[in-house]
Amino acid sequence: MSLLARLAPHLPYVRRYARALTGDQTTGDHYVRVALEALAAGERTLEANLTPRVALYHVFHAIWCSSGAQLENPQDDYSSADDTTRRLMRIAPRSRQAFLLTALEGFTPSEAAQILDADFGEVEQLIAEAQQEIDAELATDVLIIEDEPVIAADIEALVKELGHTVVDIAATRTEAVDAVARKTPGLVLADIQLADGSSGIDAVKDILARYNVPVIFITAFPERLLTGERPEPTFLITKPFQPETVKAAIGQALFFHPRKASKQAA
């Protein structure tokens, strides 16, 4: 299989990563192009012990670092950039890399360590530092839709630990809709099967019909959402959940959700 054929499926994603890393598509594409040219000329090779995608990102980083690892100048103006880009540019560069590789590109911390030529512990620390910056900047009001009191209390504790405020805990679809009418949350954490037999999916549909908020489903029935039909939820956590998984999902949901005007009629 030719080099291009091996790498072609991964090129849109490395371009996405390069754009997010540098804050500019033109700059990002330049680094990707230089990396591909180096591979084509034999100046760089794909590590045989890595998967093609990991190896491609590894070469990209080697090229980027050899060029001086320039991301942006302190005086660069991102006032015209979207919210996500501006938030990314405020995260320390090394932490930004680890965060994007795992949160945006879906690499495991071990794979990110291979890409960055770092050890596993360093990558975990970088991700934690990025998460702390995100949590501090994006503190918001959270609605929890969960009918099991013990689970609701556990989720509430996690949310508060991250610096967010729980504005309400709803056990039914009606309670959820009423809660949002009283105060619009910045994030919704929703179960699927609720106390009175109503559906958390329907509750979320009601909410999203009027408000533009990120949603994370936390459920013991993921198959009800992973149907193959679109759209499927971006953030889906299966019960029983790991606290760190919920924390990471909250940070990512808030970070990457585009800020738009509310759908609610004036």
Side-chain angles (χ1 to χ4, degrees):
M1 184 181 295
S2 69
L3 177 66
L4 180 60
R6 292 173 63 195
L7 297 182
H10 311 302
L11 293 180
Y13 302 102
V14 76
R15 289 186 65 233
R16 175 182 64 186
Y17 171 70
R19 190 270 183 194
L21 182 66
T22 63
D24 178 73
Q25 188 68 71
T26 300
T27 302
D29 282 350
H30 167 74
Y31 282 112
V32 173
R33 183 172 61 254
V34 172
L36 293 175
E37 290 172 350
L39 285 168
E43 299 169 1
R44 299 278 181 177
T45 58
L46 298 175
E47 295 286 344
N49 62 323
L50 303 178
T51 65
R53 185 168 181 243
V54 171
L56 174 60
Y57 280 69
H58 181 263
V59 170
F60 169 84
H61 267 279
I63 293 295
W64 177 68
C65 289
S66 68
S67 68
Q70 296 297 314
L71 285 177
E72 69 282 326
N73 296 317
Q75 68 269 23
D76 282 349
D77 180 13
Y78 290 96
S79 59
S80 61
D82 59 54
D83 288 344
T84 299
T85 297
R86 288 197 296 271
R87 289 194 291 267
L88 279 170
M89 294 304 107
R90 289 195 286 269
I91 298 176
R94 189 72 168 166
S95 295
R96 189 188 313 169
Q97 296 165 51
F99 173 74
L100 286 171
L101 286 171
T102 53
L104 180 65
E105 298 304 315
F107 289 110
T108 65
S110 294
E111 290 171 328
Q114 293 174 322
I115 292 168
L116 297 175
D117 281 327
D119 59 51
F120 182 81
E122 179 187 356
V123 168
E124 283 202 317
Q125 180 60 36
L126 290 170
I127 294 171
E129 291 172 359
Q131 198 71 53
Q132 289 171 1
E133 293 186 47
I134 292 167
D135 294 337
E137 179 179 350
L138 299 179
T140 191
D141 294 328
V142 178
L143 169 64
I144 298 172
I145 305 174
E146 170 61 61
D147 64 323
E148 292 288 342
V150 174
I151 297 176
D154 287 342
I155 297 173
E156 181 179 19
L158 291 175
V159 167
K160 289 182 176 178
E161 186 179 334
L162 294 174
H164 305 298
T165 300
V166 175
V167 292
D168 216 328
I169 298 176
T172 68
R173 175 184 181 181
T174 299
E175 289 180 9
V177 173
D178 289 345
V180 171
R182 290 191 295 271
K183 185 173 180 61
T184 307
L187 174 69
V188 175
L189 304 178
D191 191 7
I192 291 177
Q193 187 168 295
L194 302 179
D196 61 350
S198 61
S199 167
I201 299 173
D202 291 335
V204 167
K205 287 180 179 178
D206 291 342
I207 293 168
L208 293 181
R210 298 185 65 191
Y211 306 96
N212 179 52
V213 296
V215 176
I216 300 172
F217 283 100
I218 305 177
T219 177
F221 306 98
E223 68 278 0
R224 297 187 185 180
L225 287 166
L226 300 178
T227 61
E229 299 177 358
R230 293 294 184 266
E232 290 184 340
T234 302
F235 298 99
L236 175 61
I237 297 173
T238 302
K239 294 178 181 176
F241 56 79
Q242 296 296 320
E244 294 307 315
T245 301
V246 177
K247 290 180 182 179
I250 289 173
Q252 293 168 25
L254 290 172
F255 193 90
F256 290 110
H257 185 74
R259 293 300 188 261
K260 300 177 182 177
S262 171
K263 295 179 182 179
Q264 181 182 26

